[in-house]
């Protein structure tokens, strides 16, 4: 377990690397939001990161996240759901999280909107895209986006903000670059074809081993776990 000083140093190291990657391609460092992925890490690590100025935190599993969210409710943190969302958890998610990164079909989006309306919350939505046709992974196919965008346009409490990518694991981070480029290109094409830019502004892509490349290719949100908190004992 990292002590608070070590955690602070790692966090500021990651922030510096994001800023440098952004400047390399002429972007403002403030155009990239860092989500600290705290899955499997305990509350004191989250509190230490919060004390070091970290606002956005990401979790994979609803069950694991809910107690962390309620225990830190006084800290004003923003919580991001990164993992697959089962429909029986939708109600809990809309009242606890700020952003869902893993919406991958129109019916699920409709459910999230209905639940958010019923609970009096608003929630930001990213649509997870599967660019590699991976049978084991979640994510919408690019051609399914049109129908998801149609539903998004009618949502009242779920606000679509952009796209999320979890590319196949590759040994060399440079190999992920073509996926990042493909996600940005897909977004630009949709906007070119008339989609509302406001619902496609965010690109959530890049993790510990490749976030600098993602920033170079246009990421507005990077999701970084182990580079901040250390290696996870279990996946
Ligand atoms: C775990 C996870 C991350 C962070 O992974 P690291 O390699 O620890 O940075 C990012 N995104 C998703 C969807 C994850 O599940």
């Amino acid at each position: 377990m990292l002590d608070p000083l070590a955690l602070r140093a790692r966090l500021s190291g990651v922030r510096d690397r994001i800023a440098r990657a952004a400047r390399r391609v002429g972007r403002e460092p403030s155009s990239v939001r860092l989500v600290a992925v705290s899955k499997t890490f305990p509350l004191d690590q989250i509190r230490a990161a919060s004390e070091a100025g970290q606002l956005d935190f990401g979790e994979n599993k609803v069950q694991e996240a809910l107690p962390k969210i309620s225990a830190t409710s006084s800290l004003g943190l923003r919580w991001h759901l990164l993992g697959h969302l089962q429909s029986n958890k939708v109600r809990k998610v809309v009242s606890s999280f700020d952003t869902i990164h893993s919406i991958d079909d129109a019916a699920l989006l409709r459910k999230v909107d209905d639940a958010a309306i019923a609970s009096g919350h608003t929630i930001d939505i990213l649509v997870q895209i599967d660019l590699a046709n991976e049978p084991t992974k979640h994510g919408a196919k690019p051609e399914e986006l049109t129908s998801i965008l149609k539903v998004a346009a009618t949502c009242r409490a779920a606000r679509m903000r952009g796209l999320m990518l979890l590319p196949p694991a590759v040994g060399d981070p440079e190999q992920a670059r073509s996926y990042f480029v493909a996600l940005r290109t897909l977004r630009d094409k949709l906007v070119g074809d008339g989609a509302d830019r406001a619902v496609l502004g965010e690109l959530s892509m890049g993790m510990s081993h490749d976030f600098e490349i993602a920033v170079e290719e246009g990421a507005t949100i990077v999701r970084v776990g182990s580079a901040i908190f250390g290696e996870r004992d279990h996946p």
Side-chain angles (χ1 to χ4, degrees), residues 35-39 41 58-60 81-83 101 128 164-166 204 206-211 222-228 230-232 235:
V35 172
V37 181
S38 51
K39 66 186 184 200
F41 292 103
E59 290 278 336
N60 242 18
L81 180 65
L82 309 180
H101 290 231
Q128 181 175 351
M164 180 271 217
L165 179 69
L166 184 59
S204 167
M207 312 183 356
S208 288
H209 65 297
D210 57 14
F211 66 85
V222 291
R223 313 177 306 264
V224 180
S226 49
I228 296 171
E231 291 306 318
R232 286 178 290 274

Side-chain angles (χ1 to χ4, degrees), residues 21-98:
R23 289 199 192 96
R24 275 202 291 282
V25 293
R27 300 182 58 199
E28 277 297 319
S30 62
S31 67
V32 184
R33 190 153 29 134
L34 171 61
V35 172
V37 181
S38 51
K39 66 186 184 200
T40 79
F41 292 103
L43 266 177
D44 11 326
Q45 301 277 283
I46 294 168
R47 289 207 183 91
S50 159
E51 273 162 34
Q54 181 61 31
L55 260 182
D56 291 275
F57 290 83
E59 290 278 336
N60 242 18
K61 298 193 177 122
V62 177
Q63 220 87 299
E64 180 188 344
L66 291 178
K68 291 175 172 177
I69 295 174
S70 59
T72 55
S73 61
S74 63
L75 301 179
L77 307 180
R78 291 192 292 251
W79 289 93
H80 298 249
L81 180 65
L82 309 180
H84 179 62
L85 171 58
Q86 292 164 287
S87 31
N88 61 351
K89 305 252 167 68
V90 165
R91 275 180 44 213
K92 281 182 178 150
V93 165
V94 296
S95 48
S96 310
F97 286 85
D98 297 276

Side-chain angles (χ1 to χ4, degrees), residues 80-211:
H80 298 249
L81 180 65
L82 309 180
H84 179 62
L85 171 58
Q86 292 164 287
S87 31
N88 61 351
K89 305 252 167 68
V90 165
R91 275 180 44 213
K92 281 182 178 150
V93 165
V94 296
S95 48
S96 310
F97 286 85
D98 297 276
T99 305
I100 303 173
H101 290 231
S102 51
I103 294 295
D104 60 3
D105 79 45
L108 182 60
L109 176 56
R110 173 63 64 213
K111 256 196 186 127
V112 167
D113 189 52
D114 288 344
I117 293 168
S119 70
H121 290 87
T122 55
I123 187 154
D124 285 351
I125 296 298
L126 302 173
V127 175
Q128 181 175 351
I129 302 294
D130 173 18
L131 290 174
N133 249 314
E134 290 183 281
T136 55
K137 251 193 217 151
H138 298 289
K141 305 279 174 289
E143 60 271 21
E144 292 166 340
L145 255 176
T146 316
S147 62
I148 295 175
L149 282 167
K150 269 194 197 128
V151 170
T154 68
C155 285
R156 286 156 41 209
R159 301 173 299 204
M160 182 165 168
R161 299 295 195 200
L163 307 178
M164 180 271 217
L165 179 69
L166 184 59
V170 288
D172 174 6
E174 270 299 329
Q175 285 177 275
R177 188 182 295 273
S178 61
Y179 289 102
F180 299 149
V181 171
L183 192 72
R184 188 190 66 220
T185 305
L186 172 66
R187 189 271 308 276
D188 292 348
K189 182 177 182 310
L190 289 162
V191 171
D193 290 348
D196 181 1
R197 191 166 177 115
V199 306
L200 290 165
E202 305 281 355
L203 295 178
S204 167
M205 56 188 194
M207 312 183 356
S208 288
H209 65 297
D210 57 14
F211 66 85

